[in-house]
Amino acid sequence: MTEVTVTLTGRLEAASAIPWILHRGRLLSLRGWVRRIDDATIEMALQGPEPLLDAMEIACSLGPGDVMVETVTRAAYHGATFRNGFEHLDAARA
């Protein structure tokens, strides 16, 4: 299992962005979390097999139709242990 952070930047203010990312992550059976930093930045921490992480990165680069992803940055994750599932962290828990 590989653990990474993925940061998306662009026009990401649409309400559909986080639910869309959650849906894709769960379809791929990834573990981790997603949170909105601001209207232009969304951050994720993901755990899973490398090919599924690649698939998630590609899916997120395309995004839902009402957002425009301009950059996708991927790096090694050095955080807390992942819980089961893929969840949304709100600002209060981030």
Side-chain angles (χ1 to χ4, degrees):
M1 292 293 210
T2 302
E3 297 177 348
V4 298
T5 59
V6 176
T7 303
L8 310 175
T9 61
R11 292 191 327 257
L12 305 171
E13 66 275 357
S16 66
I18 297 292
W20 188 91
I21 291 168
L22 286 168
H23 179 72
R24 294 303 177 279
R26 290 171 180 159
L27 282 175
L28 293 169
S29 299
L30 298 175
R31 296 170 105 185
W33 50 260
V34 59
R35 66 181 172 184
R36 178 179 301 282
I37 303 300
D38 55 38
D39 284 348
T41 310
I42 292 175
E43 180 183 43
M44 293 173 273
L46 305 168
Q47 180 188 59
E50 192 74 31
L52 296 181
L53 297 174
D54 292 342
M56 182 67 167
E57 185 176 338
I58 291 167
C60 287
S61 71
L62 300 172
D66 55 352
V67 305
M68 174 61 73
V69 176
E70 295 172 0
T71 64
V72 178
T73 306
R74 184 170 166 173
Y77 177 75
H78 302 288
T81 304
F82 289 97
R83 296 192 302 220
N84 287 330
F86 190 58
E87 64 184 335
H88 177 214
L89 296 183
D90 58 28
R93 295 174 50 200

